[in-house]
């Protein structure tokens, strides 16, 4: 027998190909039902071990290394974050807006964080470690902006593990930021000035004048260039651009960057202490072994410099923003989509062979005992529908 005789009806297999046999249908059912048990164990969507306290500490680390004050943990924001995380698990949605069309702001007010000046929210799911969550947020311009926003003073975090949907257990992380209005306390009125009565005093000898001393200026932070610098290249047909983004402590009066014989002045960015600039080179310029030298000067003319290795990797274009609703999700969730495609292709091929067999038998007007493609097709649809509904949706 040839291979096609296992799949197509012909005189060589007495119009009884193996593909429509009960054994073939049994193997198909075994494969698709085994996915129900293999996928949850082979693919881990998220581990229940992400600690919210660790996440908040990592957020503060990202801020302090950029010379931005650390956030204070606020119990009301933590309560609101827990409420939002549990609501997303209970109603199987993952978005800044819930199914009722509401943002998290009412939950924040209900938790007691009011009146607030400003608030913000970061979300993540399907991650297995705190480091991966922070890395995803810092690589997203909109989420990074919340973490390094100098206007925020408080934070609250929730990391909740549970069943997001059938056969999909996950960790959902909600990070809330905010600043309350500061109340101004009334000060007691100053006592009325009274004219003191003259008091007779003995004349005292006049001491010789002392040499005046120059008043000392208040302490200022020294200039320090952070190791956290983002340097990358973007190339087009007519030019090659190198984007530089560096964080500098203190109050430099001039910040410059030098690369491959070219020097530019870095300008203040949107974040406190951030300085940005762009080099422009010919598209054929070789920058593979180049280094970027950053130099900052203070009012006294003191220079501080640091060099950074440069690799010609594509960089994010300046001022690029992610579309609304783009929230970090682990790549592991994509495995399920791949398995759905594999299942669909496998089921489609099996159904095609059953259909072809039915056409051949009807045209040849062959009657065979015990094997009917119509019943196999009906049973196939029943098994496939149950499996898709139970395992995937």
């Amino acid at each position: 027998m040839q291979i096609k005789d296992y799949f197509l009806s012909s005189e060589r297999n007495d119009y009884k190909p193996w593909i429509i046999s009960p054994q073939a249908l049994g193997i198909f059912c075994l494969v698709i039902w085994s996915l129900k048990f293999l996928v949850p164990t082979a693919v881990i969507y998220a581990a229940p071990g992400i600690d919210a306290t660790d996440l908040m500490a990592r957020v503060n680390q990202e801020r302090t290394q950029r010379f931005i004050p650390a956030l204070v943990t606020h119990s009301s924001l933590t309560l609101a974050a827990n409420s939002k995380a549990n609501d997303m698990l209970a109603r199987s949605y993952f978005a800044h807006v819930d199914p009722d069309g509401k943002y998290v702001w009412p939950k924040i007010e209900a938790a007691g964080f009011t009146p607030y000046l400003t608030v913000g929210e970061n979300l993540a799911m399907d991650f297995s470690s705190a480091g991966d969550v922070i890395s995803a947020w810092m690589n997203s311009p909109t989420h990074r902006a919340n973490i390094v926003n100098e206007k925020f003073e408080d934070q609250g975090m929730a990391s909740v593990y549970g069943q997001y949907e059938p056969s999909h257990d996950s960790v959902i992380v909600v990070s809330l930021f905010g600043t309350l209005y500061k109340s101004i306390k009334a000060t007691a009125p100053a006592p009325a000035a009274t004219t003191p009565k003259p008091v007779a005093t003995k004349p005292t000898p006049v001491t010789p004048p002392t040499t005046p001393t120059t008043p000392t200026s208040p302490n200022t932070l020294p200039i320090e260039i952070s190791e956290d610098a983002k340097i990358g290249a973007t190339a087009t047909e007519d030019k090659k651009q190198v984007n530089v983004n560096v964080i500098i402590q203190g109050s430099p009066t001039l910040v410059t960057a030098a690369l491959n014989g070219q020097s530019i002045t870095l300008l203040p960015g949107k974040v406190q202490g951030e300085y940005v600039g762009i080099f422009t080179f010919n598209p054929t310029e070789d920058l593979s072994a180049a280094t970027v030298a950053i130099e900052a000067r203070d009012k006294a003319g003191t220079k501080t410099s640091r060099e950074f290795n440069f690799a010609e990797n594509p960089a994010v274009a300046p001022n690029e923003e992610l579309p609304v609703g783009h929230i970090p999700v682990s790549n592991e969730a994509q495995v399920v989509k791949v398995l759905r495609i594999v299942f669909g292709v496998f089921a489609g091929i099996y159904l095609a062979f059953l259909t072809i067999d039915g056409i051949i038998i009807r045209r040849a007007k062959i009657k065979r005992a015990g094997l009917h493609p119509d019943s196999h097709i009906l049973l196939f649809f029943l098994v496939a529908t149950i499996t898709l509904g139970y395992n995937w949706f």
Side-chain angles (χ1 to χ4, degrees), residues 356-378:
I356 292 172
D357 180 77
I359 294 173
I360 293 174
I361 293 301
R362 290 183 184 278
R363 286 185 175 182
K365 297 180 180 180
I366 300 297
K367 292 184 179 180
R368 53 189 179 192
L371 291 177
H372 300 283
D374 294 344
S375 60
H376 278 69
I377 293 174
L378 179 62

Side-chain angles (χ1 to χ4, degrees), residues 1 130 150 175:
M1 288 181 62
E150 59 193 51
S175 177

Side-chain angles (χ1 to χ4, degrees), residues 2 12 34 62 96 100 104 117 171 214 221 226 259 272 290 297 306 309:
Q2 299 179 2
R12 288 188 297 272
S34 65
E62 295 292 341
H96 292 293
D100 300 328
V104 74
L117 180 65
V171 169
T214 304
L221 291 174
S226 172
L259 172 62
Q272 179 183 10
R297 302 182 187 181
R306 182 187 288 271
N309 293 326

Side-chain angles (χ1 to χ4, degrees), residues 164-224:
Y164 177 69
E165 55 187 11
S167 297
H168 185 170
D169 292 345
S170 179
V171 169
I172 288 185
V173 178
V174 178
S175 177
L176 298 180
F177 308 88
T179 300
L180 290 169
Y181 278 107
K182 299 296 185 296
S183 58
I184 303 175
K185 295 182 179 180
T187 57
T194 57
T195 305
K197 295 180 179 180
V199 179
T201 58
K202 289 184 178 182
T204 56
V206 179
T207 57
T210 57
T211 305
T213 57
T214 304
T216 58
S217 59
N219 294 331
T220 57
L221 291 174
I223 302 296
E224 182 180 346

Side-chain angles (χ1 to χ4, degrees), residues 264-341:
I264 61 172
T265 299
L266 301 184
L267 301 177
K270 296 180 179 180
V271 179
Q272 179 183 10
E274 180 185 49
Y275 290 84
V276 296
I278 299 177
F279 290 95
T280 302
F281 296 95
N282 293 325
T284 58
E285 189 89 17
D286 183 17
L287 303 175
S288 58
T291 59
V292 179
I294 308 293
E295 182 181 275
R297 302 182 187 181
D298 59 13
K299 294 180 179 179
T302 305
K303 300 178 182 179
T304 302
S305 61
R306 182 187 288 271
E307 291 189 351
F308 298 90
N309 293 326
F310 169 68
E312 290 194 73
N313 295 325
V316 177
N319 299 328
E320 178 183 0
E321 293 186 359
L322 293 181
V324 175
H326 185 99
I327 306 173
V329 180
S330 172
N331 291 331
E332 292 171 350
Q334 304 300 322
V335 176
V336 174
K337 295 182 180 180
V338 174
L339 289 176
R340 287 179 179 176
I341 295 174

Side-chain angles (χ1 to χ4, degrees), residues 57-81:
R58 291 173 183 265
V59 167
N60 278 335
Q61 183 180 2
E62 295 292 341
R63 290 174 65 89
T64 54
Q65 73 180 10
R66 292 169 175 80
F67 315 112
I68 304 172
L71 299 171
V72 178
T73 302
H74 199 289
S75 59
S76 295
L77 288 178
T78 301
L79 183 63

